[in-house]
Amino acid sequence: MDKTDANRFIETLAFAEALAMRVDVIDDGRAMISMPYDARFIGDPRNGVIHGGAVSALMDTCCGAAVMSRADGTGATATLDLRIDYMRPAHPGSRITAEAICYHTTRTVAFVRATATDGDTQTPVASAHGAFTFARKEPAA
Amino acid sequence: MTPPTHEPVQVVKERRDRALNALVEGVPYIGFLGIRFDRKGDELTAVMPFSPMLIGNPMLQALHGGATASFLEVTAIIGLGWSILWENIESGAIDAIAITPQNMPRLPKTIDITVDYLRAGLPRDSYARARVNRSGRRYASVHVEAWQDNRARPIAQATGHFLMPSGD
């Protein structure tokens, strides 16, 4: 799946489209997806910080995309579980970029970790760790 | 013996509903997702009406995992924030009638949340309830469950840790 195909794919995910997500990189078990700052996604009106739920949605999409992009998989997946740690509030006004790596697969499960940054510092906004369903592509007989 | 005097029920309801509305309406992302809260006494049920925007998998017409995660996190934060606010308005420490989204008490902040996906979310309305398992001075632990048609068949659950708002 190249970047254009991947962006087309993201566009079919209505919720990713609603959050204006964009695929920046996608390549065999690795994905980078970003989301712009938008006043509608604010969680704390007093400081304009994006709601954690929107960051979770970005993380989930990015992790799922990393699993789908595995060359040895069928391209279908679903989230089993996902844990998100929020290290600091995202800077209001900044684009948030998630980077996910599918670092291990079994015949049925894919393990993924991800971080989200807002370009401000080296400290990530959030990190995530999850397990996804996975189906290995059967080698041609 | 004189019978006990109680506030008129409408006055009590108005006070509680106003406080809840101020808590919910101040958060733009809750409005973006279309989530509302039904209140029965101090118990809240979050409702996320189905909208095509929430779809993740176009082939299966399933809710996006991120939409479900957002719904659970919103329910946990409002559930915890409401439990703090409830005590303050019932004790009279906060005047519910004077609360607006601009001056409402601060909401708890998420430290971490683990979402467990149990079933595909169908293109239907979703419901969720939060349970505050522990609420201390600094930290709280909250469990939340979401379901659709059948309460006994949850579509997802989550446990999260939250930083309590400091008194400002």
Side-chain angles (χ1 to χ4, degrees):
Chain A
M1 187 157 44
D2 70 9
K3 231 175 85 175
T4 320
D5 287 344
N7 263 314
R8 217 170 283 138
F9 170 74
I10 287 292
E11 279 165 23
T12 67
L13 310 180
F15 194 60
E17 179 73 356
L19 293 172
M21 290 182 203
R22 180 185 81 197
V23 179
D24 297 314
V25 176
I26 187 151
D27 177 41
D28 192 14
R30 182 170 162 258
M32 202 187 260
I33 297 181
S34 59
M35 178 176 78
Y37 183 79
D38 189 312
R40 294 171 303 161
F41 310 157
I42 290 172
D44 186 342
R46 294 205 210 186
N47 53 24
V49 170
I50 294 295
H51 196 282
V55 178
S56 295
L58 174 66
M59 289 292 219
D60 184 68
T61 306
C62 191
C63 289
V67 176
M68 285 177 184
S69 72
R70 288 277 299 209
D72 59 349
T74 60
T77 190
T79 319
L80 287 171
D81 82 332
L82 191 68
R83 173 190 163 115
I84 314 226
D85 293 327
Y86 296 98
M87 275 101 99
R88 64 175 176 88
H91 188 265
S94 296
R95 191 173 188 87
I96 302 176
T97 303
E99 183 171 10
I101 290 166
C102 173
Y103 61 93
H104 185 73
T105 57
T106 68
R107 275 188 302 119
T108 49
V109 185
F111 298 92
V112 190
R113 59 173 168 256
T115 53
T117 51
D118 58 6
D120 243 22
T121 64
Q122 285 303 300
T123 316
V125 166
S127 72
H129 214 124
F132 286 70
T133 63
F134 185 72
R136 206 170 272 173
K137 204 191 284 172
E138 292 303 325
Chain B
M1 214 173 95
T2 53
T5 54
H6 287 291
E7 279 182 296
V9 65
Q10 277 314 325
V11 173
V12 177
K13 275 191 180 164
E14 196 199 333
R15 178 174 67 223
R16 293 172 180 172
D17 287 340
R18 264 185 185 245
L20 178 61
N21 283 344
L23 204 62
V24 173
E25 280 166 14
V27 183
Y29 192 60
I30 298 180
F32 175 71
L33 296 173
I35 298 171
R36 59 164 211 271
F37 287 83
D38 287 351
R39 186 186 66 78
K40 298 274 180 290
D42 71 341
E43 188 192 61
L44 297 185
T45 305
V47 183
M48 183 167 73
F50 174 70
S51 143
M53 174 193 100
L54 303 172
I55 288 290
N57 187 323
M59 261 84 81
L60 300 177
Q61 283 291 297
L63 292 187
H64 191 292
T68 304
S70 293
F71 182 45
L72 292 168
E73 191 169 334
V74 161
T75 304
I77 293 174
I78 292 297
L80 179 58
W82 172 244
S83 74
I84 303 165
L85 187 59
W86 173 271
E87 287 184 19
N88 283 322
I89 55 170
E90 292 306 305
S91 71
I94 290 179
D95 177 11
I97 301 302
I99 298 179
T100 66
Q102 285 71 40
N103 69 3
M104 69 159 188
R106 303 214 74 146
L107 285 167
K109 287 200 181 79
T110 315
I111 300 167
D112 61 63
I113 187 159
T114 305
V115 180
D116 193 358
Y117 295 90
L118 305 170
R119 291 178 179 84
L122 303 172
R124 315 256 163 88
D125 293 359
S126 305
Y127 311 99
R129 265 183 215 148
R131 186 180 70 229
V132 179
N133 282 329
R134 148 102 181 136
S135 165
R137 199 164 52 83
R138 282 219 181 97
Y139 312 109
S141 176
V142 182
H143 184 263
V144 48
E145 225 172 76
W147 72 97
Q148 292 185 317
D149 301 325
N150 189 339
R151 177 75 175 91
R153 291 170 63 81
I155 58 163
Q157 60 182 356
T159 301
H161 293 93
F162 298 85
L163 195 61
M164 298 296 268
S166 50
D168 52 4

